[in-house]
């Protein structure tokens, strides 16, 4: 019950920026359950602040704004760094929110250098093969907020006309600070203490929030709404700031939260919520000694 | 009458003496002129291998990269499909889905592998990796393992390194400088513009000074130095017309002069005198190189398929310019020579003062 209240409150808060910033999708494809990679996913060795689309199409500006930077490829030039965004256009909108359209075909954006005004829905180019990508020649899309110094999950600013992937908690593993693992599929009697709760990482599907509760009391909520830099690491906010090493200690696990078990009967509840408020929940009755 | 004659008698010798003194004191040797003499031209496909101790010079033309020598031997010539990073000492071709990067020396011998996804960036013997997403970078050791990294919330729009530092400029207008251990030595936003963004950045050889082109409405150039744990702006100027593309900023070897590209021009800032000068340059400046003695500065700019080399003497005086058309080009300087790469050929031009 308490979890449900938290979820509704969170979703109401999430609705606010959507009402304030009526952005449109940068590509006609709005079935966000088909995207190749989502905000918060492990991508390479970092937590991705990008959304990777799945259609090679024209790319349009989400809203009117100003083209503040055109990142170029420099394969014919000497001594320049090559951005893994390839050819990209960064547009600042009037509210300190910026959108990034990357992995563009440079031949389709030539006229955008030193053109500053961009109107809503204006075609910026076509997705190409200029960025670092292993997903295909698709648009890499980002949003960041220069006022709050955060990378923003693009989904919370866009129309929610698409479907979302069905979440699956999958195989849950507990791990103590010494690295001792407990697979809850086979172990229900475990020592008291603090544990990290992991699920098996899914390369496509991504929760918007994860909640961990013990005996009905929520102990941690990790939200994939924004990311911020802490001590040189891009972090997701939970009870503390989690970097890629914390969230994804290897290529298989994803952190869902931390939990403290005291001796006795404990019910561990794990809830994953997508942007539409759909939940995947699982509970385990544990005998803590 | 006699008086006039006496005056005349005095004036004539005085005039002769004056002329002689003038000639003696006004005499000075003629200025030395700089001569450019073409030496050789070589095709980059004519690989002759490394059989001498000559210093290797890197090249990148089209989809071919490698090293050559001052005597005109192509040591290595490597074709690549996607892109390649190259420095004075290392070469690294890579693909768009690069999950591991092999690094080679000038002879083509593999020296290490970076076992992480991203695009490599090489500068002299310094190795970096730009991981996917464009928000972060990693300093990589000579054996290919990460030394330190820095992640940020928005994309890197400018990046440069020197022997004693690294600097990254970001899309939110933040400029950060790091020492070689990854410790932040400077972090600030130049400000002064309605929209903040860093479009070009440089760091001095000693790592103490940074410079950048930043902002829109109004765009400006600034140079700052590390001062008691803070950044102190030592020079700034607003630019007239503005750009939104990445641009080059470069310190000279002594870090007393800094060069930057603004729309249709080259800015030259003498930091010692707090004075600046602007020279019109059409198109985008892609390279700025210096002669070994520091007297000459070579600027390579590109406007469509037209490349122009501009030569400056004593840092500021425009003394020569010539253009050619091509698909790709580069310049390099070694000793008293300028090397110009153009499509699939490299030429050496010797420089002498007579």
């Amino acid at each position: 019950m308490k979890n449900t209240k938290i979820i509704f409150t969170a979703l109401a808060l999430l609705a606010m920026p959507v009402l304030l910033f009526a952005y449109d999708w940068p590509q006609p494809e709005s079935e966000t359950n088909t995207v190749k990679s989502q905000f918060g996913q492990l991508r390479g060795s970092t937590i991705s602040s990008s959304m990777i689309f799945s259609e090679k199409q024209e790319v349009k500006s989400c809203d009117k704004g100003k083209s503040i930077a055109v990142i170029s490829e420099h394969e014919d030039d000497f001594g320049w760094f090559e951005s893994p965004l390839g050819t990209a256009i960064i547009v600042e909108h009037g509210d300190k929110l910026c959108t990034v359209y990357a992995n563009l075909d440079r031949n389709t954006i030539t006229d955008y250098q030193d053109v500053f005004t961009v109107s809503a829905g204006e075609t910026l180019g076509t997705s190409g093969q200029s960025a670092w990508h292993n997903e295909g020649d698709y648009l890499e899309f980002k949003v960041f907020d220069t006022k709050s110094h955060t990378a923003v999950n693009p989904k919370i600013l866009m129309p929610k006309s698409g479907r979302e992937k069905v979440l699956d908690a999958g195989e849950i593993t507990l791990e103590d600070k010494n690295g001792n693992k407990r697979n809850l599929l086979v172990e229900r009697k475990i020592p008291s203490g603090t544990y990290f709760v992991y699920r098996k990482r899914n390369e496509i599907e991504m929760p918007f929030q994860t909640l961990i509760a013990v005996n009905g009391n929520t102990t941690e909520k990790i939200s994939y709404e924004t990311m911020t830099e802490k001590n040189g690491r891009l972090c997701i906010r939970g009870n503390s700031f989690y970097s890629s090493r914390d969230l994804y200690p290897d290529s298989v696990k994803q952190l869902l939260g931390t939990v403290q078990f005291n001796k006795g009967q404990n019910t561990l509840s794990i809830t994953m919520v997508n942007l539409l408020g759909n939940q995947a929940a699982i509970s385990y009755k544990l005998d803590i000694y | 009458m006699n008086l006039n004659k006496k005056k005349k008698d005095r004036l004539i010798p005085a005039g002769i003496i004056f002329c002689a003194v003038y000639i003696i004191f006004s005499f000075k040797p003629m200025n030395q002129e700089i001569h450019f003499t073409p030496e050789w031209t070589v095709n980059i496909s004519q690989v002759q291998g490394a059989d001498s101790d000559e210093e290797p010079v890197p090249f990148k033309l089209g989809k071919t990269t490698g090293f050559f020598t001052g005597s005109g031997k192509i040591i290595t010539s490597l074709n690549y499909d996607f892109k390649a990073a190259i420095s004075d000492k290392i070469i690294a071709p890579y693909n768009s889905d690069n999950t591991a990067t092999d690094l080679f020396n000038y002879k083509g011998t593999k020296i290490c592998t970076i076992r992480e996804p991203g695009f490599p960036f090489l500068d002299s013997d310094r190795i970096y990796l730009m991981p996917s997403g464009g928000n972060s970078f990693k300093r990589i050791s000579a054996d290919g393992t990460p030394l330190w990294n820095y992640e940020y919330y928005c994309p890197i729009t400018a990046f440069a390194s020197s022997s004693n530092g690294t600097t990254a400029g970001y899309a939110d207008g933040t400029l950060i400088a790091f020492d070689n251990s990854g410790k932040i030595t400077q972090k600030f936003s130049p400000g002064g513009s309605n929209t903040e963004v860093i479009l070009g950045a440089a760091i001095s050889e000693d790592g103490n000074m940074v410079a950048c082109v930043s902002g829109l409405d109004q765009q400006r150039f600034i140079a700052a130095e590390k001062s008691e744990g803070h950044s102190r702006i030592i020079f700034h100027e607003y630019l007239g017309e503005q750009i939104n593309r990445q641009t080059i900023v470069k310190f000279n070897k002594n870090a007393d002069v800094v060069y930057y590209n603004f729309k249709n021009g080259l800015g030259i800032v003498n930091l010692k005198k707090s004075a600046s000068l602007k020279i019109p340059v059409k198109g985008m400046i892609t390279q700025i190189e210096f002669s070994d003695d520091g007297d000459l500065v070579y600027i390579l700019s590109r406007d469509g398929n037209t490349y122009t080399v501009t030569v400056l003497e004593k840092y500021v005086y425009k003394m020569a310019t010539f253009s050619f058309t091509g698909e790709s080009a580069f310049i390099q300087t070694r000793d008293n020579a300028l090397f110009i790469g153009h499509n699939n050929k490299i030429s050496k031009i010797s420089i002498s003062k007579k």
Side-chain angles (χ1 to χ4, degrees):
Chain A
M1 190 64 188
K2 195 168 180 179
N3 281 353
T4 311
K5 274 184 184 176
I6 292 168
I7 291 162
F8 277 118
T9 310
L11 290 175
L13 288 170
L14 288 175
M16 286 175 66
V18 177
L19 293 172
L20 290 170
F21 311 118
Y23 285 5
D24 208 348
W25 287 102
Q27 289 193 330
E29 178 59 69
S30 60
E31 300 290 336
T32 54
N33 62 339
T34 65
V35 297
K36 291 285 183 182
S37 179
Q38 307 204 45
F39 185 93
Q41 286 275 19
L42 179 66
R43 189 162 180 253
S45 57
T46 59
I47 309 173
S48 175
S49 59
S50 305
M51 176 183 274
I52 312 294
F53 282 70
S54 58
E55 300 271 346
K56 182 176 168 59
Q57 287 181 347
E58 281 191 339
V59 175
K60 295 176 187 299
S61 177
C62 294
D63 196 7
K64 66 181 179 183
K66 188 194 295 177
S67 168
I68 61 167
V70 177
I71 294 175
S72 306
E73 295 169 83
H74 298 283
E75 62 191 87
D76 290 334
D77 302 324
F78 206 98
W80 295 71
F81 90 100
E82 287 284 356
S83 170
L85 295 174
T87 297
I89 298 178
I90 303 175
V91 178
E92 187 201 49
H93 306 285
D95 37 33
K96 296 287 182 188
L97 279 171
C98 295
T99 48
V100 182
Y101 309 84
N103 200 23
L104 300 178
D105 179 344
R106 66 175 162 185
N107 295 319
T108 64
I109 70 131
T110 309
D111 294 340
Y112 268 89
Q113 289 206 347
D114 298 346
V115 172
F116 301 97
T117 306
V118 175
S119 50
E122 186 172 328
T123 300
L124 300 174
T126 303
S127 59
Q129 294 186 320
S130 55
W132 184 92
H133 62 279
N134 57 9
E135 299 90 354
D137 45 357
Y138 310 128
L139 170 67
E140 178 168 353
F141 180 58
K142 287 172 183 287
V143 180
F144 62 92
D145 183 344
T146 60
K147 195 190 274 182
S148 61
H149 303 285
T150 54
V152 180
N153 189 334
K155 281 186 177 180
I156 66 173
L157 300 173
M158 302 295 160
K160 289 169 185 57
S161 56
R163 293 186 292 268
E164 290 286 326
K165 285 276 184 193
V166 176
L167 296 170
D168 179 13
E171 189 178 310
I172 300 295
T173 309
L174 302 182
E175 195 170 315
D176 66 21
K177 287 179 178 172
N178 297 320
N180 299 313
K181 296 180 179 67
R182 311 280 172 178
N183 186 336
L184 294 189
L185 279 178
V186 293
E187 276 186 276
R188 298 297 167 91
K189 194 172 179 182
I190 59 176
S192 59
T194 302
Y195 291 88
F196 299 106
V197 183
Y198 294 107
R199 74 158 181 159
K200 192 176 176 184
R201 185 172 76 88
N202 187 308
E203 289 187 2
I204 305 292
E205 160 259 284
M206 185 71 198
F208 187 70
Q209 285 179 341
T210 62
L211 296 103
I212 302 293
V214 177
N215 298 329
N217 296 314
T218 300
T219 59
E220 177 152 30
K221 179 183 79 174
I222 296 177
S223 172
Y224 292 86
E225 185 178 354
T226 60
M227 275 184 235
T228 191
E229 179 264 319
K230 289 285 171 193
N231 301 318
R233 298 281 182 277
L234 201 52
C235 294
I236 288 284
R237 186 81 189 259
N239 286 351
S240 58
F241 290 96
Y242 294 119
S243 70
S244 58
R245 283 185 300 206
D246 306 315
L247 272 184
Y248 301 105
D250 57 39
S251 60
V252 177
K253 291 183 292 193
Q254 178 184 4
L255 181 71
L256 299 177
T258 49
V259 66
Q260 167 73 41
F261 289 129
N262 297 318
K263 286 178 183 172
Q265 288 288 323
N266 285 240
T267 300
L268 170 67
S269 301
I270 299 162
T271 307
M272 298 196 306
V273 188
N274 71 16
L275 193 64
L276 301 176
N278 300 324
Q279 297 180 26
I282 190 165
S283 291
Y284 299 92
K285 285 193 174 169
L286 303 174
D287 186 7
I288 308 297
Y289 61 92
Chain B
M1 189 71 179
N2 282 344
L3 191 67
N4 283 344
K5 191 175 182 283
K6 274 185 184 172
K7 270 187 183 172
K8 273 183 188 172
D9 289 346
R10 285 181 199 157
L11 277 173
I12 290 167
I16 291 167
I17 291 166
F18 175 79
C19 288
V21 169
Y22 178 82
I23 288 166
I24 290 164
F25 281 95
S26 66
F27 174 81
K28 65 174 182 181
M30 283 177 66
N31 279 339
Q32 282 190 317
E33 287 186 340
I34 294 172
H35 292 257
F36 295 85
T37 311
E39 293 270 327
W40 49 252
T41 295
V42 65
N43 191 302
I44 56 173
S45 63
Q46 296 169 350
V47 179
Q48 293 173 272
D51 57 353
S52 72
D53 295 329
E54 281 190 272
E55 182 190 5
V57 185
F59 73 86
K60 190 162 80 164
L61 286 168
K63 294 280 188 189
T64 306
T65 186
F67 292 89
F68 63 97
T69 67
S71 62
K73 286 180 184 171
I74 303 295
I75 303 170
T76 46
S77 184
L78 191 68
N79 295 318
Y80 54 90
D81 293 328
F82 185 60
K83 287 173 187 170
I86 188 165
S87 71
D88 291 349
K89 298 179 181 178
I90 312 167
I91 190 168
Y94 58 93
N95 292 318
S96 58
D97 59 349
N98 213 42
T99 51
T101 308
D102 289 332
L103 275 63
F104 302 88
N105 68 10
Y106 71 95
K107 292 179 179 174
T109 307
K110 187 170 143 184
I111 49 177
C112 69
T113 301
I114 305 171
R115 299 189 188 284
E116 299 216 18
F119 290 173
F121 172 68
L122 308 173
D123 188 4
S124 188
D125 57 354
R126 298 177 291 280
I127 306 167
Y128 298 87
L129 185 75
M130 305 291 178
S132 61
N135 291 11
S136 60
F137 70 92
K138 293 187 178 193
R139 180 79 189 259
I140 305 292
S141 69
D143 65 5
T145 55
L147 291 169
W148 52 271
N149 72 323
Y150 189 81
E151 299 173 354
Y152 200 58
Y153 78 91
C154 68
I156 297 171
T157 46
F159 191 84
S161 80
S162 72
S163 301
N164 291 292
T166 303
T167 186
Y170 293 89
D172 69 344
T174 301
L175 186 69
I176 308 177
F178 306 83
D179 67 14
N180 282 341
S181 69
K183 184 184 166 195
I184 291 176
T185 54
Q186 296 193 63
K187 182 178 181 180
F188 64 97
S189 296
S193 309
N194 285 333
T195 301
E196 304 299 336
V197 62
I198 306 293
L199 294 166
I203 186 162
S204 59
E205 273 303 298
D206 65 6
N208 287 328
M209 282 194 282
V210 289
C212 68
V213 171
S214 69
L216 294 177
D217 302 328
Q218 297 178 9
Q219 196 158 80
R220 69 174 183 157
F221 166 85
I222 72 140
E225 70 177 1
K226 191 171 63 178
S227 174
E228 295 173 351
H230 295 90
S231 294
R232 187 171 70 89
I233 303 291
I234 52 175
F235 184 89
H236 91 101
E237 64 184 357
Y238 285 104
L239 311 177
E241 288 185 277
Q242 55 188 11
I243 52 173
N244 63 358
R245 60 171 165 76
Q246 294 169 295
T247 192
I248 194 168
V249 180
K250 195 159 182 175
F251 284 95
N252 71 347
K253 286 170 187 168
N254 299 328
D256 49 5
V257 181
V258 59
Y259 300 82
Y260 66 91
N261 184 199
F262 64 98
K263 187 161 189 177
N264 295 324
L266 172 73
I268 305 169
V269 177
N270 186 323
L271 296 171
K272 277 187 176 170
K273 295 178 180 173
S274 282
S276 72
L277 175 73
K278 291 185 176 68
I279 293 174
V281 173
K282 210 172 174 191
M284 174 185 167
I285 295 174
T286 61
Q287 259 183 285
I288 299 173
E289 302 292 340
F290 305 97
S291 62
D292 282 354
D293 61 10
D295 265 7
L296 299 177
V297 183
Y298 303 93
I299 316 288
L300 179 67
S301 56
R302 173 165 48 85
D303 186 22
N305 280 342
T306 301
Y307 286 89
T308 301
V309 177
T310 304
V311 186
L312 307 180
E313 189 183 12
K314 302 288 182 193
Y315 306 118
V316 295
Y317 303 113
K318 190 173 175 177
M319 60 165 295
T321 179
F322 56 92
S323 297
F324 52 90
T325 57
E327 294 298 315
S328 58
F330 75 88
I331 55 171
Q332 290 288 346
T333 59
R334 292 291 187 281
D335 299 325
N336 292 316
L338 169 67
F339 301 97
I340 301 176
H342 167 222
N343 291 345
N344 61 352
K345 290 187 170 71
I346 301 170
S347 300
K348 179 182 179 182
I349 298 171
S350 288
I351 296 150
S352 55
K353 291 179 182 176
K354 292 175 184 171

